[in-house]
Amino acid sequence: MGDQLTVVDKAVAAEGVVTLALARPDGGRLPDWAPGAHIDVTLPTGATRQYSLCGDRWDAHTYRIGVLREVDGRGGSAYVHDELAVGDVVAFGGPRNDFAMVPSTRYLFVAGGIGITPLLPMVHQADLVGADWALLYGGRSRRSMAFLDDLAHYGDRVHLHPQDEAGLLPLAAWLGGARDDTVVYCCGPGPLLAAVEDATAHRPPHRLRTERFAAAELGAPVRDEPFEVELARTGTTVTVTPQLSVLEAARRAGATTLSSCEQGVCGTCETTVLAGVPDHRDTLLADHERAAGDCMFPCVSRSCTDRLVLDL
């Protein structure tokens, strides 16, 4: 991740949320992106975190991200809030998009807390193309809900539900009454995603798309014995024991693979599978992508077969 960005603006967006505007040090053009995309940001501390792009996608020279202070986090958000300043330089990778917006005439966007960040550009895009859309946005309180000013001009298409004023999001009413051709996008904490999945279980397939901040609960791996992984680029073979992740074993053998969340939710470490059958344990791939078996996320996924060959 050699490209660099300079922090050109830092602002408080809500209680516990700051926004950063990032630009190339030379003012050059940034890679294009589409709604749902995120970038990997490597902080001066060396920590890498992924953040959804939530600014103006037509601004070719500035990226905007929103960062929630994670009270029980690993220190990255605290550094952004307390230490990172205008003029500081970070490294970045991407953009990548594991939450792409599909064409539709109807959308329902459901955001919980900082989950609003990837949905902001989607709301803008849906409005731009004249789609029928609505946003259901919940948070602990109005003070903690970021980007309310950005959303104000959309009028009654935006439905705010601060929990201290209106209680929990009325998911059953909204999702139960949604037409079958409505595509639902949801981003937020795990309990919200689980509730939305339950409320949409009756709907046609591929109408719900979610993005997670933390890994979902998973059962045991397919196999609990060691397996072999061949790193195709070097011809090295390593043994992955139950105590090791594929990512860690590959790194011990000299592979240089970028990672961020190491929970199977960000997509940073996506790796091509050349042979063998992966045991997918991420929360990113759709069922048809899992069935294809041609990629995996080695931070969490393992193997169904005695041997995997990876493009590492």
Side-chain angles (χ1 to χ4, degrees):
M1 192 184 296
D3 288 343
Q4 292 188 324
L5 297 174
T6 300
V7 180
V8 295
D9 186 62
K10 180 179 180 180
V12 175
E15 190 176 80
V17 179
V18 296
T19 58
L20 301 178
L22 306 168
R24 290 194 186 277
D26 63 1
R29 184 184 179 91
L30 291 165
D32 294 336
W33 58 281
H38 68 269
I39 57 173
D40 297 297
V41 176
T42 298
L43 300 170
T45 61
T48 299
R49 301 290 185 265
Q50 63 280 347
Y51 298 108
S52 297
L53 292 170
C54 60
D56 179 2
R57 60 180 292 216
W58 309 113
D59 181 349
H61 298 90
T62 309
Y63 287 156
R64 181 174 72 158
I65 60 174
V67 182
L68 171 70
R69 181 188 288 274
E70 298 280 0
V71 177
D72 299 318
R74 294 174 290 161
S77 67
Y79 181 87
V80 170
H81 277 252
D82 299 336
E83 305 292 338
L84 196 66
V86 172
D88 286 349
V89 174
V90 299
F92 86 102
R96 285 195 320 279
N97 201 337
D98 302 307
F99 193 44
M101 187 176 182
V102 298
S104 178
T105 57
R106 289 181 176 82
Y107 297 97
L108 175 58
F109 304 108
V110 182
I114 197 62
I116 188 62
T117 51
L119 299 184
L120 277 180
M122 293 189 184
V123 163
H124 176 75
Q125 180 69 13
D127 203 62
L128 188 67
V129 300
D132 181 4
W133 66 272
L135 168 67
L136 194 58
Y137 178 18
R140 295 187 314 276
S141 69
R142 201 172 291 267
R143 296 187 309 278
S144 70
M145 297 169 68
F147 309 115
L148 296 187
D149 289 345
D150 295 57
L151 295 168
H153 73 276
Y154 293 116
D156 60 6
R157 288 184 180 271
V158 175
H159 303 266
L160 303 178
H161 281 263
Q163 189 171 346
D164 61 351
E165 298 176 23
L168 296 176
L169 290 173
L171 297 177
W174 278 88
L175 295 169
R179 290 175 43 153
D180 284 349
D181 60 350
T182 301
V183 180
V184 180
Y185 279 85
C186 179
C187 185
L192 172 63
L193 298 180
V196 170
E197 288 168 352
D198 287 345
T200 57
H202 66 286
R203 293 175 55 77
H206 311 305
R207 296 295 193 276
L208 172 64
R209 294 167 184 266
T210 60
E211 185 166 65
R212 294 179 179 273
F213 299 137
E217 292 290 334
L218 295 173
V222 169
R223 54 187 295 156
D224 58 8
E225 62 268 22
F227 56 92
E228 303 297 314
V229 171
E230 179 183 338
L231 310 180
R233 297 187 190 184
T234 63
T236 303
T237 296
V238 297
T239 299
V240 182
T241 65
Q243 294 75 34
L244 280 180
S245 69
V246 175
L247 179 65
E248 187 176 1
R251 281 177 170 167
R252 290 185 180 185
T256 54
T257 303
L258 187 66
S259 67
S260 178
C261 73
E262 302 198 358
Q263 300 179 72
V265 300
C266 76
T268 302
C269 66
E270 182 174 355
T271 301
T272 299
V273 177
L274 301 174
V277 180
D279 174 13
H280 295 293
R281 301 180 59 75
D282 62 274
T283 53
L284 285 162
L285 296 177
D287 288 345
H288 69 281
E289 294 170 320
R290 292 169 183 265
D294 56 3
C295 70
M296 66 180 283
F297 299 94
C299 64
V300 292
S301 295
R302 303 189 68 78
S303 182
C304 297
T305 49
D306 291 337
R307 185 179 183 85
L308 285 177
V309 181
L310 302 180
D311 185 20
L312 291 175

